[in-house]
Amino acid sequence: METRIRNSFDKQGLMASLNARLDSIDAGRVVISAAILPETSEQHGFAHAGLTFSLGDSAAGYSALNTMAEGAEVLTAEMKINLVAPADGTRLIATGEVIKPGRRLVVTRATVETEYPDGRRKIVAVLQGTMVPV
């Protein structure tokens, strides 16, 4: 399963352009992170919400893929995001988890944290979505 997810992740042009990395893969749980760079920030210097959403969506999607049958791929059917704090650290860490697996729909969530240089973290967003196998 890990090889399957890593191979799929490596094909994502957006993740490559964001310099995102796949940090860990466990049963129904995936962690993806990316540094907050000038190219991925907004006008106040915080991580752009687009970076936050992209990492959370991909982490949630790959957590769902981790529960799907061999040969399936995954698509997001819908995703909601609550931005709860400015991402003012140096790196974003998105942890995707499966809430409810299923054959046709997989309900997921992702928590996105900002990490500071001293290692402290703060939650900046919570996402919930539905993934479908294709």
Side-chain angles (χ1 to χ4, degrees):
M1 184 59 68
E2 183 168 340
T3 300
R4 174 179 163 198
I5 290 172
R6 289 193 182 281
N7 288 342
S8 179
F9 183 84
D10 289 345
K11 293 177 185 174
Q12 282 203 17
L14 181 60
M15 290 295 108
S17 70
L18 296 174
N19 295 313
R21 69 178 197 217
L22 191 50
D23 293 329
S24 69
I25 301 167
D26 295 303
R29 185 175 183 274
V30 170
V31 179
I32 298 173
S33 66
I36 300 170
L37 304 171
E39 298 83 8
T40 59
S41 65
E42 44 90 85
Q43 69 274 19
H44 303 291
F46 304 130
H48 194 283
L51 174 64
T52 304
F53 184 87
S54 295
L55 295 177
D57 177 54
S58 286
Y62 283 120
S63 73
L65 182 61
N66 207 350
T67 69
M68 293 178 184
E70 186 66 35
E73 269 297 333
V74 65
L75 286 176
T76 302
E78 61 85 26
M79 182 65 71
K80 174 195 184 317
I81 186 169
N82 289 101
L83 300 164
V84 298
D88 56 353
T90 57
R91 183 168 78 116
L92 289 183
I93 302 163
T95 303
E97 299 175 289
V98 171
I99 297 171
K100 170 82 171 65
R103 277 185 305 116
R104 296 181 191 204
L105 301 173
V106 180
V107 179
T108 61
R109 75 172 151 239
T111 303
V112 183
E113 299 172 289
T114 190
E115 184 177 66
Y116 298 97
D118 64 5
R120 287 180 302 116
R121 292 183 182 181
K122 172 179 76 175
I123 294 175
V124 297
V126 178
L127 297 84
Q128 181 172 317
T130 305
M131 305 294 167
V132 295
V134 292

